[in-house]
Amino acid sequence: MSFYIEMQATAHELIEEFGQVGVVTRLTPPDPILGGEPVSTPHPAALVPMAYEARYIDGTNIRTGDMQIYISSVGLAIEPTVGDVVAANGTDYAIVNGDPNKYDGVTAVVFIVQGRIAA
């Protein structure tokens, strides 16, 4: 077992213990030729939403109300990315920035995303 898989397991245990169950929803746009409706696909996830400390809020990149959301990569079928929506604390947060934390280039230890209240 590699070091990064062990770190992934540790992160997952901590998120499950101290976090909550949420949903990462990916909206797939309609086919550009055939048209149709966008398809919304929910993916259950273990996550921990945390408010940014005041010293990081600059009003441009990080705004008041933005959340730093740690999402366990274990069992998650997708890699959360800009455009996805995370449901946490009864609120929907649009992902505006993210870091997959793939230190070895392969294993996502934990996904850390910046969520902004979805309009």
Side-chain angles (χ1 to χ4, degrees):
M1 179 181 281
S2 82
F3 172 75
Y4 298 108
I5 292 175
E6 290 178 29
M7 294 304 298
Q8 180 188 54
T10 300
H12 178 70
E13 289 173 17
L14 289 169
I15 290 170
E16 278 201 326
E17 183 176 349
F18 298 107
Q20 59 186 265
V21 174
V23 177
V24 178
T25 303
R26 174 150 301 158
L27 188 64
T28 306
D31 186 282
I33 296 172
L34 300 175
E37 295 295 318
V39 177
S40 177
T41 309
H43 300 275
L47 51 88
V48 176
M50 295 188 300
Y52 280 95
E53 292 181 30
R55 64 184 170 152
Y56 295 116
I57 299 172
D58 62 7
T60 304
N61 295 316
I62 300 175
R63 300 179 189 167
T64 301
D66 284 1
M67 297 291 276
Q68 187 173 33
I69 306 170
Y70 289 72
I71 304 171
S72 174
S73 60
V74 174
L76 190 59
I78 61 170
E79 182 173 311
T81 188
V82 174
D84 292 345
V85 176
V86 179
N89 291 338
T91 304
D92 288 339
Y93 295 95
I95 296 176
V96 294
N97 200 354
D99 184 358
N101 289 285
K102 292 182 179 178
Y103 303 111
D104 63 354
V106 178
T107 307
V109 173
V110 63
F111 298 113
I112 303 173
V113 300
Q114 177 184 354
R116 185 163 292 151
I117 295 176

